[in-house]
Amino acid sequence: MTTTLDFTAVKARQQVTWASGDYGAVAALIHPIAELLVTAADLSACDRVLDVATGTGNAAIAAARCGCTVTAVDYVPELLERGRARASAERLPVTFVTGDAERLAYVDGAFDAVLSVVGVMFAPHQERAAAELVRVCRPGGTVALASWTPQGFIGELFRTVGRHVPPPAGLRPPVHWGDEGRVRELLGGAVGDIRAVRREFVFRFGTPEEFALFFRANYGPTLKAFEALPEERRPELHADLVELARTHNRSTDGTVRIGAEYLEVVARRIADPA
């Protein structure tokens, strides 16, 4: 039996998920990923830059520091408000706009560079989202992405949570964006000169318990998984998260250091064939 996904319903649930908890606390930790991506994208001052699924604006703010003209799009108004406050505090002129990564409200080739840091990877219709990234990037422009890998720590986190609260049937895992072959397939023949590099972000916590509590309170997908479980089953998920952190901990000083692999992709938009 073939399962037909209701992408609209999935997206509506996702919006609620990302508005829950405090994703801004998570984004503050992983901001270095955005700085590295912007450096790899080699932006020029005055470039027109679009940050897709911006969250609280990590990539947008990093690009604005380069003197770019930056627009940041997300479908969660609460995250955009946090981004506006951050940009305002640093006096950086970023335009934050409510929008859908799968239906970007811009003409073809409107931007010199299109970025996304662990954001567009969560769009439920991967092909549509990828096509939009390419469409709004001008020929000769840059598409730059950072996505958690399937085999990395966050991929394992999602699988751990999924054993307790399975994702919608038929939905491709977001971490497929962290597979180089899949990204090449998604971006298609409209891009060339694709450079893909595996990088690592290190999460640091005092204890495995602290890690579990942080993700339970702040990270929307984890928080919602706990809420979906009956009260008596929640300790099982909590224990699995603690064990996950303990297993991946490479620290020897009594604290927690967890390497989380992600794929950094920088591609050049080529002209459409005549």
Side-chain angles (χ1 to χ4, degrees), residues 228-250:
L229 289 172
E231 188 73 36
E232 64 273 14
R233 290 185 53 200
R234 294 176 186 176
E236 298 173 15
L237 175 54
H238 181 83
D240 280 353
L241 293 180
V242 171
E243 183 57 28
L244 179 69
R246 185 176 291 116
T247 299
H248 286 266
N249 184 22
R250 67 188 190 202

Side-chain angles (χ1 to χ4, degrees), residues 141-153:
T142 300
V143 176
L145 310 169
S147 309
W148 302 118
T149 64
Q151 66 272 26
F153 176 73

Side-chain angles (χ1 to χ4, degrees), residues 194-214:
I194 298 178
R195 290 171 286 137
V197 179
R198 293 188 183 279
R199 296 194 185 275
E200 182 183 80
F201 175 79
V202 179
F203 287 100
R204 293 174 169 85
F205 293 93
T207 64
E209 179 78 13
E210 182 183 318
F211 158 81
L213 290 172
F214 179 88

Side-chain angles (χ1 to χ4, degrees), residues 210-231:
E210 182 183 318
F211 158 81
L213 290 172
F214 179 88
F215 270 80
R216 177 174 182 169
N218 297 304
Y219 195 52
T222 316
L223 183 153
K224 285 300 183 183
F226 274 99
E227 290 182 355
L229 289 172
E231 188 73 36

Side-chain angles (χ1 to χ4, degrees), residues 113-150:
V114 181
L115 316 175
S116 189
V117 174
V118 296
V120 75
M121 64 181 288
F122 291 98
H125 197 310
Q126 295 185 358
E127 289 78 8
R128 184 177 295 161
E132 284 292 272
L133 296 179
V134 172
R135 181 185 66 78
V136 300
C137 183
R138 68 165 175 82
T142 300
V143 176
L145 310 169
S147 309
W148 302 118
T149 64

Side-chain angles (χ1 to χ4, degrees), residues 32-172:
I33 297 175
E35 296 287 351
L36 285 172
L37 184 70
V38 165
T39 298
D42 195 21
L43 304 176
S44 297
C46 301
D47 271 355
R48 301 161 299 163
V49 175
L50 180 67
D51 180 18
V52 180
T54 187
T56 58
N58 279 357
I61 288 170
R65 291 196 188 107
C66 297
C68 299
T69 301
V70 184
T71 303
V73 173
D74 203 283
Y75 64 179
V76 182
E78 294 87 346
L79 299 182
L80 292 171
E81 280 303 311
R82 184 76 162 264
R84 288 188 187 98
R86 293 179 64 203
S88 176
E90 296 194 35
R91 299 183 180 180
L92 294 171
V94 179
T95 301
F96 289 88
V97 179
T98 302
D100 185 346
E102 297 175 4
R103 289 182 174 83
L104 296 172
Y106 305 100
V107 299
D108 297 359
F111 297 93
D112 300 298
V114 181
L115 316 175
S116 189
V117 174
V118 296
V120 75
M121 64 181 288
F122 291 98
H125 197 310
Q126 295 185 358
E127 289 78 8
R128 184 177 295 161
E132 284 292 272
L133 296 179
V134 172
R135 181 185 66 78
V136 300
C137 183
R138 68 165 175 82
T142 300
V143 176
L145 310 169
S147 309
W148 302 118
T149 64
Q151 66 272 26
F153 176 73
I154 298 299
E156 185 59 35
L157 171 68
F158 290 151
R159 286 189 291 275
T160 299
V161 172
R163 287 194 290 270
H164 294 265
V165 181
L171 188 67
R172 275 186 175 269

